[in-house]
Amino acid sequence: MKLPRYFQTRSVGGAVLMTLVCVNTLLLAVFGCIDYYGERQRLEDELRYDLRVVAEQLSANMAEPLWFLESGNLARLLDAAMKNDRLAAVVVYEADDGDFLAGRSRDRSWRASAVTARPALDNVIIDSRPVYFGEALVGAVEVQMTRRYMDDALRQTLWRVVLRILALNAALAAALVLVLRRQLIRPLASLERYAVEAAGRGETAVHPEGLRGELGSLSAAMQDMVRQLTAAQDKYRSIFENATEGIFQTTFDGRLLAANAALARMIGYATPQEAMASITDLSRELYQDPKDRARLLDQLLAEGAVAGFQTRFMRRDKQTIWVLVNIRLVRDADGRPLYNEGTVVDVTARVRAERRLEILNRHLREAVKERTGRLAVKAAELEAANERLQELDRLKSGFLATVSHDLRTPLTSIMGFAKLISRDFNKFFAPFAPGHERLTRQAERITANLGIIENEGERLTRLINDFLDLSKIESGRAQWRDTEVDVSAALSRAANAVSADFAAKPEVRFTMALEGGLPPLYIDPDRLTQVLVNLLGNAAKFTDQGEVKLAAAASDGLLRVVVTDTGHGIPRESLEKIFDKFHQAQIGDTMEEHGRRQGTGLGLAICRQIVEHYKGRVWAESELGRGSTFILELPLAGPPPAEDGQDQPA
């Protein structure tokens, strides 16, 4: 049987009717469930109350029969209790060990019969009570009551709820049909006719009159929507006709259904109409290689859309252009392919640029290959140089051993014998010189030469010691005997160590400015003294007049020591080089003025190695003619935690 229009799923009236009926059914079902579960709870409570009453009565009535062991009275009580049809079983147990004593139960016909053991029944509720005679426990009674009568009553209640829901739904549906036909379905039908006419004739469609309320608002909105759709259609037609990309619609057999002006110009036609009239087989007349379109259609049917398909088109004037095709498949309501549509972009310039770039990349790869070969040769040369450096390192180790033993030992002998010769000469030979002018000159010359031997021997010894010391630090073989050092005392010791240098230059004044309460420093005291003595010794050596000042202060976790002099200064380009090995700053064209004590060129290099070992810094600030300032910064850190392989204080 065919349903009326308002009952069809595509009818708004039918949808509203079905919605209201479903909502009403749901609400009635909810209230019916509430009634059902309320009735069920009430019947359950009544059943449990009756069970409790029966159990209490039987417990009270069975006290004397159990105390006096009157089995006949006990049987009569059980039979009387089983006359209640809701009782499924009654069992009596002994008081001492809980053994079964007597009982009644229902059979399949629901007749009461005696049992010899506790029955196991389904769908029952159980209540057990002890039986007392006075204060003595004489036994226990267990009562089992069935739910079958309660379930029958619940089924009847459920049927009443269902019938009530059906009756109310039928009445509601009848009333709604009458109301909806007049108030909703007929006005909606007129709006439907207007929508169909507007789809074909646009703004010339006849607008329905006499609609009120929401339907009137809907009618006005539809009229406004028709105007907007017409404007949008004109807008998108303008976009289609004026787009810079080619836009098309084609059939699978190669006909051009639609094209815009950009596509017509791209393939060499004056108008889209001329292009659509002239091209009847795209594969043969537009694609330079017909296999490209076959591949494109295969991919389109498999995936539904293809983006960025690059191919070559042949223009009307037989010129070839590179294009990028984006295309999608259009299907009907049943999923069958109808036609395809998409866009075309001319990428001829980009393809040519890419080919030029590819040529450049090929040349670049060849250049890189050639450069890689040269780098391989350089790597081999570096490896050979590394081997030579390793050989030089071995020679250095041998040289250090030679310096340590073969040079220092004979040098010590030379200096010792020079001192002995000077002492013996001045003691035994020099006294005979007075009175003889020639002998006096010779004695003074010999004494001066021996002094030169001693001074140069001491300088050579310092050079050897500094060189060995620096080599040990650089190779990591130096021992660091770190301990807590009183900074003020260390600075005073260093000043005392160079006091002779200042005493030899009375025109140079030495001052100290130490901040009070300098915190201790965790460092090797000998290394700290070595650094301070080197800095102060350099200041004394290169200052002829004026002042040398030693200052120290602590701030921000750092100890800052500053040595300032008024010497000739250091050229700006040599401020960093003076900390290199064997480097000394030159003044003019010579390293130092005549008569100035020469150095080894290793003192400042050793200072920087020691300071950097303790994570500090040392640097110089100077201008020619204005003196120099050497600044030393060391962190005021505690003793580091001991690690495996770390040098420990000796």
Side-chain angles (χ1 to χ4, degrees):
M1 178 176 117
K2 185 176 180 181
L3 294 176
R5 180 181 179 87
Y6 47 83
F7 280 113
Q8 298 176 6
T9 56
R10 67 177 181 177
S11 170
V12 175
V16 172
L17 178 61
M18 294 301 297
T19 301
L20 292 176
V21 170
C22 291
V23 171
N24 184 64
T25 302
L26 180 61
L27 292 175
L28 292 175
V30 170
F31 288 114
C33 290
I34 294 174
D35 292 341
Y36 173 79
Y37 284 106
E39 181 68 13
R40 178 177 179 178
Q41 186 63 40
R42 187 185 65 79
L43 293 175
E44 180 79 17
D45 293 340
E46 289 182 358
L47 187 64
R48 292 189 178 277
Y49 175 77
D50 293 343
L51 175 63
R52 186 170 63 254
V53 171
V54 171
E56 290 176 353
Q57 290 177 353
L58 286 175
S59 174
N61 294 334
M62 290 182 178
E64 290 186 3
L66 287 177
W67 176 259
F68 294 105
L69 300 179
E70 296 175 351
S71 58
N73 289 337
L74 184 62
R76 284 193 294 275
L77 287 173
L78 293 174
D79 291 336
M82 292 301 291
K83 291 180 179 179
N84 186 344
D85 290 340
R86 290 186 296 177
L87 289 184
V90 179
V91 181
V92 181
Y93 300 98
E94 293 183 359
D96 296 333
D97 49 9
D99 289 341
F100 178 85
L101 185 60
R104 298 290 186 273
S105 180
R106 302 285 184 181
D107 57 12
R108 294 181 180 275
S109 301
W110 206 248
R111 289 192 298 271
S113 60
V115 293
T116 59
R118 181 182 181 276
L121 302 178
D122 297 330
N123 199 23
V124 296
I125 57 176
I126 301 173
D127 192 352
S128 298
R129 299 295 175 118
V131 180
Y132 289 93
F133 185 78
E135 296 182 356
L137 180 64
V138 296
V141 60
E142 180 184 283
V143 181
Q144 298 184 14
M145 187 169 285
T146 183
R147 286 192 176 94
R148 60 184 298 185
Y149 297 103
M150 184 186 74
D151 293 342
D152 293 340
L154 287 175
R155 280 192 290 272
Q156 294 177 3
T157 300
L158 183 61
W159 278 111
R160 286 196 298 272
V161 170
V162 173
L163 292 175
R164 187 163 58 245
I165 291 174
L166 293 177
L168 290 175
N169 274 338
L172 178 65
L176 288 175
V177 167
L178 296 177
V179 174
L180 290 176
R181 180 186 292 274
R182 181 174 181 179
Q183 300 294 330
L184 185 63
I185 296 175
R186 289 177 181 173
L188 286 177
S190 64
L191 284 177
E192 181 182 7
R193 287 193 299 272
Y194 171 68
V196 172
E197 293 175 358
R201 293 185 294 169
E203 295 187 10
T204 61
V206 179
H207 182 263
E209 302 293 339
L211 300 180
R212 297 183 298 276
E214 290 84 354
L215 292 177
S217 301
L218 178 61
S219 176
M222 290 182 63
Q223 190 175 13
D224 184 61
M225 182 179 65
V226 169
R227 288 195 295 268
Q228 292 180 7
L229 288 175
T230 303
Q233 187 177 20
D234 295 339
K235 175 183 177 181
Y236 287 110
R237 182 176 296 277
S238 175
I239 293 174
F240 174 79
E241 293 175 352
N242 300 309
T244 57
E245 296 180 350
I247 304 175
F248 65 86
Q249 286 182 341
T250 60
T251 63
F252 284 91
D253 59 1
R255 290 182 296 109
L256 192 60
L257 295 177
N260 66 343
L263 179 61
R265 290 193 300 270
M266 190 183 302
I267 58 179
Y269 291 91
T271 63
Q273 292 74 18
E274 183 182 1
M276 288 186 288
S278 301
I279 298 176
T280 58
D281 188 351
L282 292 172
S283 299
R284 182 173 53 84
E285 300 175 12
L286 186 59
Y287 283 80
Q288 186 181 35
D289 187 356
K291 295 180 181 179
D292 287 350
R293 186 168 190 268
R295 289 197 303 271
L296 177 61
L297 293 180
D298 291 341
Q299 187 176 352
L300 180 64
L301 291 173
E303 301 177 6
V306 179
F309 185 85
Q310 185 169 299
T311 184
R312 287 176 295 176
F313 279 3
M314 186 169 57
R315 289 168 46 91
R316 186 180 186 182
D317 54 7
K318 304 305 179 183
Q319 292 184 7
T320 300
I321 60 173
W322 284 93
V323 295
L324 205 63
V325 180
N326 300 303
I327 191 171
R328 77 178 189 93
L329 180 63
V330 180
R331 300 179 183 269
D332 60 12
D334 297 328
R336 292 188 295 269
L338 289 178
Y339 58 90
N340 51 72
E341 60 185 14
T343 60
V344 177
V345 182
D346 187 350
V347 293
T348 304
R350 192 193 73 184
V351 171
R352 291 173 180 171
E354 288 176 351
R355 291 189 173 179
R356 288 195 295 270
L357 182 61
E358 183 180 356
I359 294 173
L360 292 176
N361 286 336
R362 185 169 61 252
H363 293 165
L364 180 61
R365 286 193 295 269
E366 293 175 355
V368 170
K369 183 177 181 181
E370 181 182 356
R371 182 66 179 273
T372 303
R374 291 200 298 269
L375 289 177
V377 174
K378 291 294 183 182
E381 294 176 354
L382 289 175
E383 185 175 357
N386 184 43
E387 293 178 357
R388 289 195 297 273
L389 288 175
Q390 292 178 357
E391 180 63 24
L392 289 175
D393 186 65
R394 289 191 293 271
L395 292 175
K396 174 187 173 183
S397 298
F399 175 71
L400 290 177
T402 301
V403 169
S404 177
H405 183 268
D406 295 345
L407 293 182
R408 192 157 51 179
T409 300
L411 182 61
T412 302
S413 299
I414 291 172
M415 292 179 61
F417 281 110
K419 290 180 180 180
L420 290 175
I421 292 172
S422 177
R423 186 190 65 185
D424 292 343
F425 178 79
N426 290 325
K427 182 177 180 181
F428 297 107
F429 296 98
F432 298 101
H436 297 80
E437 182 179 354
R438 183 177 180 184
L439 289 178
T440 300
R441 288 198 304 271
Q442 290 294 332
E444 291 175 354
R445 182 177 180 182
I446 291 172
T447 302
N449 290 339
L450 290 174
I452 292 173
I453 293 174
E454 291 181 10
N455 290 334
E456 292 302 314
E458 291 176 357
R459 191 168 72 88
L460 185 57
T461 301
R462 287 196 302 273
L463 174 62
I464 293 172
N465 290 335
D466 288 345
F467 183 74
L468 291 175
D469 207 7
L470 183 61
S471 298
K472 288 181 180 180
I473 294 174
E474 290 180 343
S475 63
R477 296 194 300 270
Q479 292 186 351
W480 306 90
R481 298 175 174 84
D482 297 342
T483 186
E484 191 175 277
V485 175
D486 186 341
V487 175
S488 298
L491 293 171
S492 299
R493 287 195 300 271
N496 292 332
V498 296
S499 60
D501 294 339
F502 291 108
K505 291 185 175 182
E507 64 276 11
V508 178
R509 185 175 68 259
F510 175 70
T511 60
M512 293 178 62
L514 305 182
E515 185 182 82
L518 289 175
L521 192 66
Y522 195 82
I523 196 171
D524 187 334
D526 295 335
R527 299 295 184 185
L528 177 60
T529 301
Q530 185 177 4
V531 172
L532 297 174
V533 168
N534 272 332
L535 296 180
L536 291 172
N538 278 346
K541 183 191 307 182
F542 297 105
T543 303
D544 296 329
Q545 60 182 359
E547 181 184 12
V548 174
K549 183 178 180 181
L550 172 64
S555 64
D556 300 329
L558 290 174
L559 172 67
R560 185 181 179 94
V561 179
V562 180
V563 178
T564 307
D565 63 59
T566 58
H568 293 283
I570 304 171
R572 185 179 301 274
E573 62 273 9
S574 298
L575 286 177
E576 279 299 319
K577 295 180 180 178
I578 59 175
F579 292 96
D580 295 340
K581 292 177 289 187
F582 303 108
H583 182 86
Q584 292 179 318
Q586 293 185 354
I587 301 175
D589 296 331
T590 60
M591 182 173 293
E592 51 189 39
E593 297 177 359
H594 177 70
R596 179 164 296 161
R597 184 157 53 106
Q598 297 180 355
T600 63
L602 293 175
L604 291 179
I606 294 175
C607 289
R608 172 162 284 184
Q609 292 287 342
I610 294 174
V611 171
E612 290 181 351
H613 173 77
Y614 289 103
K615 311 301 181 185
R617 292 195 308 153
V618 61
W619 72 95
E621 298 174 356
S622 179
E623 291 185 15
L624 284 176
R626 295 194 177 185
S628 304
T629 300
F630 285 81
I631 304 169
L632 166 66
E633 287 184 351
L634 288 170
L636 293 169
E643 298 179 0
D644 294 341
Q646 182 177 347
D647 294 336
Q648 301 298 324

